[in-house]
Amino acid sequence: MSPADPKATSAVGGCAWLELSVAADVEAVEAVTEILGRAAPGGTSVEPAFELVEEGLGARVDPTRPAIVRAYRPARDAVATDLAVADVATALGHLQAFGLRPIGELHTRIVQESDWAESWKAYFPVMRIGRRLVIRPTLRRHRRSPDDVVLALDPGMAFGTGLHPTTRLCLAALESLADRGAVQGARVLDVGCGSGILAIAAVRLGAASAFGVDTDPIAIEATAANARRNSVVRRVRAREGSLPSGQPAFDVVLANLIAGVLVPLAPALRDELRPGGTVLASGIFIDRETEVAAAFVAAGLTVTGRSAEGDWVALEAVRGS
């Protein structure tokens, strides 16, 4: 473990963040994310291992190598920061003691917000998802095909680059829903909008509008900035908070969350849907699929579809009349 440096944390201003990072086997990602998330009001991100292809213009995920889970918290208060790091280290130690899957040591470093715009480029390549969706960082090139729906995206310090299987599953499920005509003209809710990638994709695939909620104010800023980049600022809105959204019932609800959040949130997700509306839920580790599906059924949703990538699952469910 690399502990936080008290001198560094006490010397930095309000625009500096402490980054906590852990390498984790794909099956341990969810548990590690939950642990780091407790100390991370600045949000968490997951970077799967990948290799560049197409002369560096694309990427292919390598599920055999560990992912890097990162979390961010303000670095203003050295004492609070050291306590948070110690709590995370203790919880990770307990998880490592089980020896179920490989989990690396905890590392920390100070990240200035002004440096973030450069640091993400090292692990954010162009990524094709499904048949038509392409996630393109604004400063990378892409050879566009006629049917491509290209999303220009800079993640900021918010989760949601398209690299993680949970995001890819949700995007692919959204594209499938659009292919069936269920997105055209729809009103869409994105719960935990992160970078805004799902909300923007929904609008680019034909939705009339998308409304995002996230408890992280940085995610709201990132969503607004990415909406501007994609010229959908009038159709994509976001606010800080959670459910209920306070909005009229939606046609489609997107929830790329973790199972531990989806289960208790199932009734609230149902309440956001109009009768006959669809929820697309991702972020579900395969061992918890049954639990999430049962929670959806108990809340009055009918599970109508399933997709999987590696050990991650996305579910499609419909609210009855």
Side-chain angles (χ1 to χ4, degrees):
M1 180 186 74
S2 173
D5 181 347
K7 294 181 181 178
T9 55
S10 61
V12 294
C15 291
W17 298 79
L18 179 72
E19 178 189 88
L20 302 90
S21 62
V22 179
D25 181 89
V26 63
E27 293 187 11
V29 163
E30 182 178 22
V32 172
T33 299
E34 288 193 81
I35 290 172
L36 266 62
R38 299 171 199 162
T44 60
S45 66
V46 181
E47 302 158 27
F50 65 88
E51 60 178 334
L52 294 177
V53 296
E54 298 177 11
E55 300 181 1
L57 298 180
R60 179 167 51 235
V61 172
D62 183 355
T64 66
R65 293 161 51 202
I68 304 295
V69 183
R70 301 183 192 273
Y72 298 88
R73 60 173 291 115
R76 294 184 295 269
D77 186 331
V79 174
T81 295
D82 288 343
L83 288 173
V85 171
D87 288 344
V88 168
T90 299
L92 287 172
H94 292 157
L95 193 61
Q96 290 164 334
F98 285 106
L100 299 178
R101 304 297 299 186
I103 299 171
E105 295 300 312
L106 173 65
H107 297 277
T108 65
R109 68 181 180 116
I110 296 296
V111 178
Q112 300 290 336
E113 273 190 24
S114 58
D115 297 333
W116 184 261
E118 296 301 318
S119 64
W120 62 262
K121 296 171 188 172
Y123 55 86
F124 190 17
V126 175
M127 178 71 71
R128 178 175 293 277
I129 298 168
R131 294 185 301 102
R132 294 182 289 156
L133 290 172
V134 176
I135 313 301
R136 181 185 68 82
T138 53
L139 296 181
R140 290 196 186 275
R141 295 176 296 145
H142 168 64
R143 293 189 290 265
R144 182 171 185 159
S145 299
D147 293 335
D148 283 354
V149 177
V150 180
L151 310 181
L153 189 73
D154 287 348
M157 293 182 75
F159 174 84
T161 62
L163 281 172
H164 194 261
T166 63
T167 310
R168 295 200 302 272
L169 282 168
C170 208
L171 285 167
L174 182 61
E175 183 185 66
S176 174
L177 200 65
D179 289 344
R180 286 175 271 152
V183 174
Q184 188 66 40
R187 294 180 61 256
V188 176
L189 173 65
D190 184 2
V191 183
C193 55
S195 65
I197 184 172
L198 298 179
I200 294 166
V203 167
R204 294 297 305 277
L205 287 168
S209 64
F211 184 75
V213 293
D214 200 299
T215 57
D216 180 4
I218 294 174
I220 305 307
E221 295 174 8
T223 296
N226 285 320
R228 287 193 296 272
R229 289 185 181 97
N230 288 273
S231 303
V232 293
V233 69
R234 294 185 178 181
R235 296 163 65 192
V236 174
R237 296 184 299 122
R239 70 160 176 81
E240 186 179 350
S242 187
L243 301 185
S245 69
Q247 302 293 309
F250 293 90
D251 303 295
V252 178
V253 171
L254 309 172
N256 184 21
L257 306 169
I258 59 176
V261 175
L262 288 170
V263 169
L265 209 59
L269 294 172
R270 174 210 59 214
D271 291 344
E272 296 289 343
L273 281 172
R274 65 164 176 79
T278 300
V279 59
L280 299 178
S282 189
I284 306 166
F285 192 65
I286 195 166
D287 286 352
R288 303 193 68 180
E289 177 185 359
T290 301
E291 181 184 356
V292 174
F296 281 6
V297 171
L301 297 166
T302 301
V303 177
T304 55
R306 174 191 187 275
S307 55
E309 181 178 337
D311 293 313
W312 297 96
V313 174
L315 296 177
E316 177 181 314
V318 175
R319 178 176 179 173
S321 56

